[in-house]
Amino acid sequence: MPFLRPSLKDIADRITADLDSRMGGAAFRRSVKSKLATSLAGAVHGLYGYLDYLARQINPATATDQYLRLWCVVWNILPREAVIAKGQATFTGNPGAAVPTGTLLTRSDGEPFRVVTGVTLASGTAIADIEAVNAGQAGNTEAAVLLQMPSPIEGIQADATVNSGGITGGVEAENDDSLRDRLLLRIRKPARGGNGDDYVRWAREVPGVDRAWCYPNKMGLGTVSLTFTASDMNNPIPDADLVTAVTERIDAVRPVAMKERYVYAPVAHPQTITITNLKPDTPEVRSTIEAELKDLFYREAKPEDGNGQGVVPISLVREAISVASGETDHDLVSPVDDIRPAEGAMATYGGVTWQTA
């Protein structure tokens, strides 16, 4: 039988009854006994709360924070650390002027960046490697965005332009849910010297990787095919750098007897959701629906393996819209059936088209 934690009122009533039995007389509302019972009940209730917290930490399936990380130490699971976004920017100015290493730049929202290696403007322009000061996704910046130097440099224009590749690669530190999932995978499916679960675990050790899928012998006997998603809800399809990082990790730990490995990103299969007759049709409700749909595809979509693994049921799409805060009614125009991407592709969020009467 599970232990039922008593409420604050139950504890206060018990203490009051105990005091009455020992001291005699009723505990009136403003009596000393009543105030004493309330104070003791608050302290005891806090202890119950702490014991409840500790009880969750003794099981790796419910542990959090530093206790979860202590469990990971036991099983040799290393939390993925945050990664700094990196890219290039073009500086303009007088020929011969120099941008020193460490020069600070700021985005319009205040996000700071710095020059990794100083450059000299040979013909009025120069491209410099730059990186975000703070690790995480906040440093990811699209191409053509202007970065401004807070402290001007003689002969250099104050604004630098982010190059075509953008500033990318910024990844948040691994959260408890992801870390716990990897820990439970390690416990439930122990290492087997290179089975499919091992490849999934190895891939998910790389910063920036969210989920992974392994297909043994897909490209022939003795081969291993691995695909995965990035831990970026706005763009879950891994870029070339992340594919390279996972490939290098797999090559460092895979069994020597493996014939060949194939590490690749799934092909994006964007899905545009069309909705009409939304009630109430407000910007706030539209925003919450878009957030729910984006979360749905990020959380539930999988690469199609030829056996229906990548199917996203239409019922999940309807559910995501219906659970959005503030939504009371809508008509889903498209899709009209389960989403079925081609083999090797994965359904991704492609935005919402709103139809009005």
Side-chain angles (χ1 to χ4, degrees):
M1 181 177 179
F3 175 76
L4 299 178
R5 177 183 171 185
S7 66
L8 179 62
K9 183 180 183 302
D10 289 339
I11 298 172
D13 290 344
R14 292 176 187 177
I15 295 175
T16 300
D18 186 56
L19 289 174
D20 284 345
S21 67
R22 295 174 185 275
M23 300 175 63
F28 298 104
R29 182 180 178 185
R30 299 185 183 279
S31 67
V32 173
K33 283 190 290 184
S34 176
K35 299 301 180 184
L36 179 61
T38 302
S39 298
L40 288 175
V44 173
H45 191 261
L47 291 175
Y48 271 115
Y50 184 58
L51 289 173
D52 184 56
Y53 170 77
L54 290 180
R56 293 195 301 271
Q57 310 314 314
I58 63 175
N59 189 325
T62 55
T64 59
D65 305 320
Q66 72 270 25
Y67 293 98
L68 173 60
R69 280 149 181 78
L70 287 174
W71 277 109
C72 288
V73 170
V74 174
W75 291 91
N76 196 28
I77 303 294
L78 298 178
R80 299 193 301 258
E81 298 182 353
V83 179
I84 292 175
K86 298 181 179 181
Q88 293 182 323
T90 299
F91 290 83
T92 58
N94 299 332
V99 179
T101 298
T103 298
L104 291 178
L105 303 159
T106 57
R107 209 167 52 196
S108 60
D109 60 356
E111 189 67 27
F113 299 82
R114 60 180 163 229
V115 174
V116 177
T117 304
V119 293
T120 300
L121 279 64
S123 58
T125 63
I127 297 175
D129 293 330
I130 63 174
E131 65 181 13
V133 173
N134 303 316
Q137 293 183 359
N140 294 334
T141 307
E142 295 180 355
V145 170
L146 296 179
L147 305 177
Q148 189 172 51
M149 291 185 292
S151 301
I153 299 176
E154 184 177 357
I156 303 294
Q157 291 188 11
D159 292 334
T161 304
V162 177
N163 281 18
S164 58
I167 302 174
T168 60
V171 177
E172 298 295 331
E174 188 170 23
N175 59 33
D176 280 1
D177 290 339
S178 174
L179 182 59
R180 187 185 303 106
D181 189 46
R182 290 202 295 127
L183 172 62
L184 294 178
L185 176 65
R186 175 67 177 84
I187 295 172
R188 293 166 178 168
K189 298 180 178 180
R192 300 291 185 184
N195 66 357
D197 294 324
D198 289 341
Y199 284 90
V200 170
R201 182 168 58 253
W202 293 331
R204 295 186 64 189
E205 291 173 356
V206 178
V209 174
D210 182 36
R211 296 176 293 160
W213 298 267
C214 181
Y215 311 112
N217 301 320
K218 184 176 182 178
M219 303 299 290
L221 188 63
T223 66
V224 172
S225 299
L226 178 78
T227 189
F228 60 97
T229 58
S231 55
D232 182 354
M233 184 176 293
N234 295 315
N235 187 16
I237 303 300
D239 59 18
D241 290 339
L242 191 52
V243 172
T244 299
V246 173
T247 301
E248 292 174 349
R249 174 58 181 164
I250 295 300
D251 286 345
V253 295
R254 65 185 174 94
V256 295
M258 189 186 72
K259 182 178 180 181
E260 186 58 87
R261 54 96 184 102
Y262 300 89
V263 180
Y264 58 94
V267 177
H269 184 61
Q271 295 297 308
T272 300
I273 311 300
T274 304
I275 299 173
T276 188
N277 297 328
L278 177 64
K279 298 177 183 178
D281 191 350
T282 65
E284 292 76 16
V285 173
R286 287 189 177 191
S287 179
T288 57
I289 290 175
E290 290 168 353
E292 289 289 348
L293 288 170
K294 183 183 295 185
D295 178 70
L296 164 67
F297 283 99
Y298 179 73
R299 184 184 69 250
E300 297 290 343
K302 300 176 182 179
E304 176 54 44
D305 62 349
N307 297 307
Q309 174 180 261
V311 174
V312 178
I314 188 66
S315 60
L316 292 182
V317 177
R318 294 193 181 103
E319 179 186 34
I321 300 171
S322 297
V323 300
S325 177
E327 188 273 348
T328 60
D329 194 16
H330 74 277
D331 289 325
L332 180 61
V333 178
S334 67
V336 296
D337 201 354
D338 296 344
I339 300 169
R340 301 178 182 275
E343 186 171 356
M346 185 180 80
T348 58
Y349 174 71
V352 178
T353 297
W354 304 98
Q355 291 185 355
T356 58

